[in-house]
Amino acid sequence: RGKVVFFFLPPPPPRRSTLRAFATGHTGTASAAANVCVDVLGRVLLEVLARRAELGASLLRPGEGLLAGQSGLGHAALSFAKSTAGKGFRGVQGAAARAGAGGKVLGEINDETEEQMRMRTSIGVARAAANFNDLEVVAEYTKRLEGNFLKEIDAGYPRGHDTEQLRMCIKGLGGVVESFSNASERAIERLVSTMLPRVRQIVNEAVGNEGGSAIPAASFMGSPVLSGATSTVSSTRLDYDLDDRAFELAQLSEGYVGRMCSSLDELIEPLGAHFLPKLSDALLIGILGGVSTRLEAAIRKSKFTPLGAISLDSDVRYLMNFAKDRLDSPELKSNVTLCKACLPLARLNQISLLLNVDDLEDVLDLISVSKRKGNWDLKLDDAKTLLSLRVDFEGSKVNDLLQMDDE
């Protein structure tokens, strides 16, 4: 994917001052400078960048910040960006945020064309994303800095106790790298938490858990089935209690998963275009976890025919392919590694496998083989509840079968 990645950091000064200390050839001076370098990077800069990332998460809150919410991106979102971005950033950072998110007075904003507003908002998103990128950039910079300093020691200092002490001071940068990496992970987790309410709305809208409008009883996933019956039921788009006719329609219809993924694309694409690949993947995995958890809750409220179970399998595969198409890391391109990275999605996949057994006698073999491979997280109580959703499986037989395994 074509990415335009921003970060704000100038070359940090500790490198130059530390190298000047190294040039003296005095291990005590060099050790003192190395300790200052570790402190400046690992305490002062870390605190500043972590705070910026926290502010970036606030700026990106869907519907209130720079990302579109349920009602889109309106005047209130731009006003929020204008008032918050400038106050939260200083100097060039503040000017950039204001320019991207609403540097004009409100009257001028109202006169902007849609394209101008979109461009200014996009710049604001890029600036906010740079706050997250900075943590990863400094982690990589510090890792390289440690290697460069160790080479300087090997080239300019004789072996001895004092030199080993200097080497240990430099190796303190390894802990700084870890601190920045941990801060980056926490920042993405905070951003995911900020976005999850909108993600839940997207899933609810797709499965039909929001809104009270009625639709024909013979409809499937929001697509009307041509039928003489027009009796109405509560609005629902997720339905796996399918007969032959509804299943055939499912093969021709986009379905709720397709609509849901389109809405997710609209939400995360602005960030994915500006995040470093590692952060873009982490964000998508976090969002995917929220989607999968919400879908599992919705699935537990449906009944399943054998054809409905097949349809569920197709929907889960669609969701996994959607994720793999948007992930940058080659390691996440397989179903196995993707499920290990996103446990809620792994559960969803296991639910699909469980509900697609041809016969109850196959359940224990499925669970046993999957556990040996380390690919099974569902408890027996979960399995009982889920198998009871199959309309062709008797509840008493399900309980008897899994009770035997408990014993």
Side-chain angles (χ1 to χ4, degrees):
R1 302 195 304 270
K3 287 178 177 286
V4 181
V5 177
F6 295 94
F7 52 90
F8 292 123
L9 295 173
R15 177 179 180 274
R16 294 191 293 270
S17 59
T18 306
L19 287 176
R20 285 196 295 268
F22 274 35
T24 66
H26 188 271
T27 54
T29 301
S31 296
N35 287 332
V36 170
C37 179
V38 170
D39 181 66
V40 169
L41 290 175
R43 183 177 60 84
V44 180
L45 188 58
L46 176 61
E47 181 180 350
V48 171
L49 295 186
R51 192 175 301 168
R52 284 184 178 180
E54 184 176 353
L55 177 59
S58 298
L59 288 171
L60 294 169
R61 186 181 300 277
E64 299 177 19
L66 292 164
L67 295 181
Q70 189 171 17
S71 301
L73 183 66
H75 181 80
L78 292 178
S79 298
F80 167 84
K82 178 190 175 186
S83 61
T84 304
K87 294 177 181 178
F89 295 139
R90 295 182 180 274
V92 175
Q93 181 85 341
R98 288 192 294 273
K104 299 184 180 181
V105 297
L106 294 183
E108 291 175 321
I109 288 178
N110 291 334
D111 293 335
E112 282 186 321
T113 65
E114 183 178 345
E115 178 63 18
Q116 288 173 325
M117 192 175 298
R118 186 191 66 80
M119 287 297 297
R120 282 157 41 78
T121 303
S122 177
I123 293 172
V125 171
R127 298 287 183 179
N131 293 318
F132 296 87
N133 292 337
D134 284 348
L135 289 167
E136 287 295 323
V137 170
V138 175
E140 180 61 27
Y141 170 86
T142 305
K143 184 177 181 180
R144 295 181 183 182
L145 192 64
E146 180 184 6
N148 290 337
F149 284 163
L150 290 175
K151 289 180 182 178
E152 291 287 337
I153 293 174
D154 292 338
Y157 287 84
R159 293 186 178 183
H161 176 71
D162 291 342
T163 301
E164 284 305 310
Q165 278 192 325
L166 174 58
R167 189 182 298 275
M168 292 303 297
C169 291
I170 294 300
K171 287 188 176 180
L173 290 172
V176 174
V177 173
E178 185 177 357
S179 295
F180 275 102
S181 297
N182 292 338
S184 179
E185 291 178 6
R186 290 193 299 270
I188 290 297
E189 290 173 358
R190 185 180 298 111
L191 178 59
V192 170
S193 297
T194 299
M195 298 174 69
L196 277 182
R198 174 58 187 146
V199 171
R200 296 188 190 102
Q201 287 178 344
I202 289 173
V203 178
N204 288 341
E205 291 164 3
V207 303
N209 285 356
E210 287 193 353
S213 60
I215 57 176
S219 73
F220 170 71
M221 295 185 183
S223 300
V225 180
L226 295 178
S227 171
T230 57
S231 59
T232 59
V233 293
S234 299
S235 176
T236 179
R237 296 184 182 124
L238 182 150
D239 184 9
Y240 293 109
D241 190 4
L242 308 180
D243 56 18
D244 291 343
R245 190 176 185 184
F247 180 76
E248 290 176 3
L249 179 62
Q251 309 310 302
L252 303 175
S253 171
E254 180 186 28
Y256 77 92
V257 175
R259 292 194 299 273
M260 178 187 72
C261 289
S262 295
S263 296
L264 290 173
D265 254 343
E266 293 177 2
L267 177 65
I268 63 179
E269 191 278 332
L271 282 174
H274 301 296
F275 267 162
L276 292 170
K278 177 182 177 181
L279 300 184
S280 179
D281 286 354
L283 175 66
L284 181 56
I285 291 295
I287 296 298
L288 197 62
V291 169
S292 300
T293 299
R294 185 65 195 90
L295 281 179
E296 178 179 341
I299 285 170
R300 286 172 176 265
K301 299 176 182 178
S302 180
K303 290 293 184 180
F304 285 80
T305 62
L307 291 176
I310 293 174
S311 184
L312 172 64
D313 179 69
S314 176
D315 289 339
V316 172
R317 290 176 185 274
Y318 187 107
L319 182 60
M320 296 179 76
N321 288 332
F322 165 83
K324 289 188 291 185
D325 287 344
R326 287 153 183 79
L327 290 166
D328 285 285
S329 173
E331 297 176 358
L332 296 173
K333 294 293 186 178
S334 75
N335 289 350
V336 173
T337 55
L338 178 58
C339 286
K340 286 183 178 180
C342 184
L343 296 182
L345 180 62
R347 283 181 59 90
L348 205 60
N349 188 52
Q350 293 161 23
I351 289 171
S352 175
L353 291 173
L354 184 66
L355 288 172
N356 271 279
V357 294
D358 294 326
D359 191 276
L360 280 176
E361 299 299 327
D362 299 330
V363 171
L364 295 181
D365 288 339
L366 170 66
I367 295 177
S368 177
V369 171
S370 299
K371 281 186 174 180
R372 284 200 297 271
K373 294 180 179 179
N375 296 331
W376 196 260
D377 301 305
L378 297 178
K379 297 180 181 179
L380 287 183
D381 286 342
D382 292 325
K384 290 178 184 179
T385 300
L386 293 164
L387 287 171
S388 297
L389 300 177
R390 277 280 295 264
V391 297
D392 53 326
F393 291 164
E394 294 182 19
S396 58
K397 291 184 177 180
V398 170
N399 289 330
D400 291 342
L401 178 68
L402 296 182
Q403 184 64 36
M404 288 172 55
D405 189 71
D406 273 334
E407 295 172 355

